[in-house]
Amino acid sequence: MKLEVLADAEAVASAAADILAERARAGGHIALSGGSTPKRAYALAAERLEDWRGATLWLGDERHVPPADERSNARMVREELLARIPRAGAGQLEPVRTELDLDAAAADYEARLAAALGEGDGLDLALMGLGPDGHTASLFPGQPTLQERSRLAVGVPVAGMEPQVPRVTLTLPVFDAARDVVFLVAGADKARALERAFGEPPDPTAPAAHVRPASGRLLVLADEAAATRVRRK
Ligand code: 6PG
């Protein structure tokens, strides 16, 4: 694991945008996160690269709401990233089909991801957020989703997290098989979660503490405010 501490949220978004644009230029399968920290990274990444046609974008998690709903992660990615790219290809973003019921939407997403990745291959990049409670994607503390070892995507009933809607999330085996996993963590309200997820020793009750790519790289981009409890020289 590599922890990179940057000045502020803007610097975190900028570093993430560099990584995202570089990966998209090279082509491959990328899972994007919802949340406020990545949002700015997507807008900056759109400025860094014009031609995204080699990249296929997935969602690490999605709220089970219609595509036009303002809580939709796909809508956020469309608005912040795809709408700003002059040459976005059709099929650039693989949305969760939220018109299906929750379990069917998860099964459909899993089938499409498995077909796209092929046997034994993983995502090229997963961008992840971190919640103040240590959650990442829609893997929430104490939930059975953390024990999932075979499914690639599962439905998550309403979890007491804002927004209070069911979700579809990719699972730990997917994130742990990725070549690169990059966490974006900004703000003082994340300091405790960052320590629990990536401090020494990590706290297993924080879901993000279980994201440890088997052979891929794990990079944590944190701002000064979030890194106060883990800062290393
Ligand atoms: C979601 C996210 C979620 C998010 C974290 C951090 O759809 O809600 O994927 O896992 O990344 O909650 O979000 P912020 O960056 O907004 O704090």
Side-chain angles (χ1 to χ4, degrees):
M1 194 264 287
K2 186 176 170 218
L3 170 70
E4 210 169 300
V5 181
L6 300 156
D8 52 21
E10 182 67 12
V12 169
S14 178
D18 286 341
I19 292 169
L20 178 54
E22 188 193 328
R23 185 65 250 176
R25 185 178 291 112
H29 293 276
I30 301 172
L32 300 177
S33 159
S36 55
T37 320
K39 196 172 168 181
R40 175 78 179 136
Y42 303 155
L44 291 173
E47 289 172 10
R48 309 256 203 285
L49 181 66
E50 274 196 12
D51 188 349
W52 286 64
R53 285 173 297 182
T56 305
L57 305 176
W58 300 85
L59 296 166
D61 70 328
E62 176 61 295
R63 292 88 181 262
H64 195 251
V65 296
D69 190 293
E70 58 182 22
R71 296 165 297 184
S72 161
N73 283 342
R75 177 179 165 170
M76 191 269 268
V77 170
R78 281 196 202 95
E79 287 180 356
E80 300 299 324
L81 183 59
L82 299 180
R84 300 173 203 257
I85 297 170
R87 279 196 257 155
Q92 196 86 66
L93 172 67
E94 292 285 350
V96 175
R97 295 196 177 120
T98 54
E99 67 275 20
L100 302 173
D101 74 34
L102 189 63
D103 290 337
D108 170 73
Y109 210 50
E110 168 175 73
R112 283 156 53 211
L113 182 63
L117 293 180
E119 187 84 20
D121 221 354
L123 290 167
D124 295 290
L125 172 65
L127 284 188
M128 323 272 308
L130 179 69
D133 61 351
H135 83 259
T136 188
S138 286
L139 301 167
F140 297 107
Q143 287 206 350
T145 44
L146 293 170
Q147 263 67 60
E148 185 57 56
R149 294 292 174 268
S150 52
R151 302 280 314 273
L152 305 185
V154 292
V156 183
V158 180
M161 265 300 294
E162 288 303 327
Q164 302 267 4
V165 289
R167 326 268 187 117
V168 169
T169 188
L170 300 185
T171 55
L172 288 172
V174 175
F175 297 124
D176 287 346
R179 294 210 171 83
D180 280 295
V181 175
V182 179
F183 275 85
L184 279 60
V185 192
D189 61 323
K190 303 288 176 70
R192 179 73 69 176
L194 187 63
E195 180 185 34
R196 290 174 59 215
F198 302 110
E200 266 317 316
D203 171 356
T205 64
H210 297 274
V211 178
R212 294 294 188 270
S215 55
R217 286 173 298 196
L218 174 61
L219 172 65
V220 180
L221 299 172
D223 72 352
E224 297 271 5
T228 46
R229 305 180 70 96
V230 290
R231 180 100 219 219
R232 282 170 214 155
K233 291 282 160 207

